[in-house]
Amino acid sequence: MSQLFWHLPANVTLLAQEIHDPDLIGQISKAWSHFVQTGQIWALLIGLVIGYIIRNLTSYG
């Protein structure tokens, strides 16, 4: 494995990322707003309810 990294340039960052927009709370707010506006929240809630019902119907004891 070390032979694989031997030929990479010295300035390669393997684990670091370049952050373009550091506003984390704003990104979360925007993602949540999109999640609600597209109706995915209802799919999540319906899936949780149906999954809970199926779990209770198929559990033994």
Side-chain angles (χ1 to χ4, degrees), residues 19-55:
I19 298 173
H20 298 286
D21 186 13
D23 183 20
L24 183 63
I25 302 299
Q27 289 178 359
I28 292 172
S29 174
K30 184 178 176 185
W32 178 256
S33 175
H34 182 264
F35 185 70
V36 172
Q37 286 178 356
T38 57
Q40 295 178 44
I41 186 76
W42 294 113
L44 173 67
L45 293 175
I46 291 168
L48 288 173
V49 169
I50 291 173
Y52 181 76
I53 291 170
I54 290 173
R55 184 191 72 160

